[in-house]
Amino acid sequence: MDKVIGIDLGTTNSCVAVYENTGPVVVPNRGGYQTTPSIVAFADNGKRLVGHIAKRQAVTNAQNTIFSVKRLIGRQFDSPEVQKTKASVPYEIKPAEDGQCGVSAGGRDFTVQEVSAFILMEMKKIASDYLGEDVTKTVVTVPAYFNDAQRTATKQAGQIAGLDVIRIINEPTAAALAYGASKGGNRNLTVFDLGGGTFDVSVLSASEGVFEVVSTSGDTFLGGADFDNRVIDYLAESFMAQHGMDLREDRVALQRLREASENAKCELSFKRTVEVTLPFIATKDAQPIHLQQSLSRGRFEELVGDLVDRCIDIVKNTVDEANMTTEDVHEVILVGGQTRTPMVQQAVETLFQKPFSRGSNPDEIVALGAAVQGQALVDETSDMLLLDVTPMSLGIATAGGRVSRLIPKNTTIPTQKKHSFTTVHENQSAVKIIVLQGESEQAADNKLLGEFLLSGIRPAPKGVPDIEVTFEIDADGIVAVRAKDKDTGKEQSITVAVSGGLSDADLNRMIGEREEYEINQKQDDSTQELFYEVEKVHQKVLELLPSAEAVITSDELHAIMDVLAEAKAAMNTRDQAQLKAVHGKLSEANESLNSIANQ
């Protein structure tokens, strides 16, 4: 049976898990951490850095360090969310060729899918190293309220990373799978998922291995980063009032401020007051200026109170849409690092009038649930059944700028719906099918997923042609639409997963670049391993040489010294051929000196 890894591609941190004999387990990275920062950076030498090593150099290399790309994935560059993010990060956000977001770092332009792929590649490597074999099959999680473009972009990121994304599932659903897979009985669950960049809530019904999502909703631009930004603004404005300087206009100062704000926010989860100190944050009149500011939990709660209220309002609406009351919910599961905030926990418990379920790590539970789903997909004996829903309504634009809704939100997927339309003009020979996603009755207020033209309609009075439009949503939430003139049999279709995303040519180019990178990376890893071997034997020879000098001849001593010098030069150049050659010579010298020492 193929191994399937579960990946939680997070805004702040990512996590990978795999199903073993005893159940799902989180795979630690090389540093022993359960999660890996979703950060990509480019060093001065062009080397790509991912995870903790990228985070550690973020302050000194701010403009080449990319974070929070999950907030940008699948979004058009001119969207308000992107413009808001653009103003708050030190790296450059720019439009890609398809109008979606791109970023610039390390002297190159990248699509957001590429940057996300770099993080997924790291997750793949962590899992492969742990399992001792290359793994490609994966289940990747996304926020429940991700639209079609965002889901498609995430799947494309997986393709670029060399992964076979066999399923995309919603993060709250994955958390429910991890939490409820070992529990019996009939229960209604609410998953409250407040992560680094997004907020989701799902109401599920669980019964003997069947998990049915009843309703879901969220906000893809509401998360821990917004809590951080409130603290950043508070500290920056306090500093500006005192010194007349805006720290947010300096990239390095902004990055230092960001890290300090995030740390302060986390500390306020268990402290009443924190002291934020940033020495030498700026200079004025050739004199250094330091930032020192106290922040109480009460003041922090004032800063973020409206964000928590937005979360609670979404939860109330989602429970209503499930035709339930809060009393009907048996258990509440908190997911995402921001749910550690006492104010968030108190608001949830006040709403549901019951304590939330404890015992699950909010940073790991989503990846664990993805691994559970992955195992169920490849294990023919599994009796687990997941019934998810589409988070937003789908329809087409009609005359008068209105929307004809074909699939309402919270419809169980996969699904297919058909509806017949007709022409609005005499002898109309073609109709444009405009595919929309959203809840507004006005076409302009919804998300445009794609459009296509059905031509060749036979001449006829308006209202006579019979045009059948079929919507299909697969288990990943990806949309396909086709239209057919039932009189002539003419048919046209669009897989919305392709429109608005990367072209096949771009996708193939990025996959080729990834394959080339992996070849180079393997060579770099091989060279690095050889370097360590040479360094180790070099050190052994140095340690053995003093005791052998009185025994060996002058020529033998000079020969060994030449080999040591050659090894030093090879280690400086890191040339693989030189390292291989000198490793053999060092090994011979080491064996010779060892035999002398043992006499």
Side-chain angles (χ1 to χ4, degrees):
M1 185 189 304
D2 290 339
K3 283 286 186 183
V4 180
I5 56 175
I7 299 177
D8 172 14
L9 180 62
T11 305
T12 308
N13 294 292
S14 293
C15 186
V16 59
V18 64
Y19 200 95
E20 297 195 325
N21 294 332
T22 56
V25 294
V26 170
V27 180
N29 60 29
R30 281 161 285 184
Y33 299 99
Q34 301 291 87
T35 60
T36 300
S38 301
I39 300 176
V40 176
F42 296 88
D44 291 339
N45 62 3
K47 188 174 179 62
R48 191 164 80 209
L49 311 172
V50 181
H52 288 93
I53 190 171
K55 185 175 183 178
R56 283 194 288 269
Q57 54 83 75
V59 169
T60 57
N61 188 28
Q63 65 185 25
N64 292 312
T65 301
I66 307 167
F67 56 88
S68 293
V69 292
K70 184 174 177 178
R71 289 195 135 190
L72 305 175
I73 197 164
R75 292 189 189 274
Q76 293 295 309
F77 174 75
D78 58 3
S79 68
E81 294 86 357
V82 171
Q83 297 309 308
K84 184 178 178 182
T85 302
K86 187 179 177 184
S88 66
V89 297
Y91 58 88
E92 185 181 2
I93 301 174
K94 58 199 306 184
E97 289 183 7
D98 58 5
Q100 291 190 2
C101 273
V103 298
S104 183
R108 271 197 62 187
D109 294 339
F110 299 95
T111 65
V112 175
Q113 288 97 317
E114 285 179 283
V115 178
S116 300
F118 300 155
I119 300 166
L120 289 172
M121 286 170 65
E122 184 70 12
M123 297 296 102
K124 178 177 182 287
K125 181 170 174 51
I126 290 168
S128 296
D129 289 347
Y130 174 81
L131 294 169
E133 60 181 277
D134 189 43
V135 290
T136 57
K137 290 186 182 299
T138 183
V139 171
V140 179
T141 64
V142 296
Y145 217 56
F146 256 21
N147 63 31
D148 187 79
Q150 291 167 310
R151 291 170 189 270
T152 296
T154 302
K155 199 161 189 176
Q156 289 177 332
Q159 287 178 269
I160 298 168
L163 289 164
D164 177 12
V165 183
I166 62 173
R167 183 64 51 85
I168 286 179
I169 64 169
N170 295 333
E171 290 164 3
T173 307
L177 292 180
Y179 178 81
S182 61
K183 300 179 185 293
N186 300 328
R187 306 178 318 286
N188 294 325
L189 310 174
T190 293
V191 181
F192 182 103
D193 184 356
L194 184 59
T198 60
F199 172 66
D200 289 303
V201 58
S202 291
V203 179
L204 302 94
S205 174
S207 175
E208 304 302 332
V210 177
F211 293 83
E212 181 180 3
V213 180
V214 184
S215 65
T216 193
S217 192
D219 187 331
T220 58
F221 210 78
L222 171 59
D226 300 293
F227 287 66
D228 295 344
N229 288 337
R230 295 295 174 85
V231 179
I232 290 170
D233 290 341
Y234 171 73
L235 296 175
E237 286 162 13
S238 298
F239 187 88
M240 187 161 59
Q242 187 175 357
H243 301 287
M245 301 173 67
D246 191 347
L247 296 175
R248 292 164 294 192
E249 295 178 354
D250 180 90
R251 288 179 174 177
V252 174
L254 175 61
Q255 187 61 29
R256 290 182 67 190
L257 201 58
R258 183 179 307 283
E259 291 188 1
S261 298
E262 183 181 354
N263 291 336
K265 176 193 73 175
C266 293
E267 286 186 44
L268 286 172
S269 292
F270 55 89
K271 290 182 178 179
R272 287 290 174 183
T273 304
V274 295
E275 194 74 24
V276 180
T277 304
L278 290 171
F280 306 100
I281 189 71
T283 57
K284 187 175 184 180
D285 300 328
Q287 296 297 315
I289 308 175
H290 316 300
L291 182 150
Q292 188 161 1
Q293 179 76 43
S294 294
L295 179 62
S296 67
R297 184 185 292 180
R299 185 72 183 100
F300 171 70
E301 291 179 347
E302 290 175 8
L303 295 173
V304 302
D306 64 308
L307 300 178
V308 177
D309 289 343
R310 277 169 60 190
C311 293
I312 295 301
D313 287 343
I314 292 171
V315 175
K316 290 177 180 176
N317 290 336
T318 309
V319 173
D320 286 344
E321 288 171 355
N323 293 318
M324 295 184 191
T325 68
T326 54
E327 293 178 355
D328 296 323
V329 175
H330 302 115
E331 295 174 86
V332 182
I333 306 163
L334 299 189
V335 179
Q338 198 58 56
T339 60
R340 290 188 172 93
T341 301
M343 184 183 190
V344 173
Q345 296 178 352
Q346 290 162 8
V348 171
E349 291 189 339
T350 299
L351 174 63
F352 287 94
Q353 290 296 298
K354 59 174 68 70
F356 59 89
S357 299
R358 299 177 185 270
S360 300
N361 187 317
D363 297 322
E364 301 171 10
I365 190 171
V366 170
L368 291 170
V372 170
Q373 172 68 1
Q375 178 68 11
L377 290 174
V378 297
D379 184 358
E380 295 178 355
T381 65
S382 174
D383 58 358
M384 191 188 82
L385 177 61
L386 171 61
L387 301 172
D388 215 332
V389 298
T390 180
M392 293 179 235
S393 299
L394 290 158
I396 63 171
T398 56
R402 308 288 289 177
V403 176
S404 178
R405 188 169 294 131
L406 271 71
I407 300 180
K409 69 176 293 188
N410 294 323
T411 297
T412 300
I413 58 174
T415 187
Q416 180 188 89
K417 293 289 176 68
K418 296 182 179 181
H419 193 78
S420 289
F421 297 88
T422 189
T423 54
V424 293
H425 301 294
E426 299 290 327
N427 299 318
Q428 187 173 336
S429 63
V431 292
K432 180 185 281 189
I433 308 296
I434 300 174
V435 185
L436 301 169
Q437 188 172 42
E439 307 312 314
S440 175
E441 297 294 330
Q442 299 297 320
D445 296 334
N446 291 285
K447 167 73 176 175
L448 173 65
L449 294 187
E451 56 185 56
F452 61 96
L453 192 69
L454 175 63
S455 58
I457 299 172
R458 66 176 178 82
K462 64 180 179 180
V464 171
D466 187 0
I467 300 164
E468 183 181 74
V469 177
T470 304
F471 266 67
E472 292 179 351
I473 307 179
D474 66 15
D476 293 326
I478 306 295
V479 181
V481 186
R482 66 177 183 270
K484 181 178 181 180
D485 179 356
K486 296 181 75 173
D487 293 331
T488 65
K490 290 273 188 177
E491 188 169 345
Q492 186 61 265
S493 66
I494 180 174
T495 300
V496 181
V498 175
S499 78
L502 298 173
S503 66
D504 288 343
D506 283 339
L507 198 56
N508 290 332
R509 173 182 59 80
M510 293 171 191
I511 290 170
E513 289 177 356
R514 184 261 305 166
E515 291 170 347
E516 183 180 348
Y517 174 83
E518 286 181 336
I519 291 170
N520 294 335
Q521 191 63 37
K522 283 180 181 177
Q523 187 172 349
D524 288 347
D525 291 345
S526 175
T527 301
Q528 187 68 24
E529 191 175 329
L530 187 56
F531 173 89
Y532 288 139
E533 283 297 316
V534 170
E535 186 179 49
K536 184 168 63 176
V537 183
H538 181 273
Q539 185 62 33
K540 287 180 180 178
V541 171
L542 283 175
E543 291 170 358
L544 290 168
L545 195 56
S547 60
E549 279 189 67
V551 180
I552 61 177
T553 65
S554 176
D555 289 343
E556 289 173 330
L557 176 61
H558 283 304
I560 292 173
M561 295 302 292
D562 286 345
V563 171
L564 288 170
E566 188 181 341
K568 200 71 175 172
M571 286 190 288
N572 286 336
T573 63
R574 293 187 181 241
D575 181 89
Q576 193 169 49
Q578 292 179 24
L579 287 168
K580 280 182 180 177
V582 81
H583 183 262
K585 296 177 184 179
L586 277 174
S587 298
E588 288 178 11
N590 183 51
E591 289 175 13
S592 177
L593 293 174
N594 254 324
S595 63
I596 293 171
N598 293 328
Q599 286 178 357

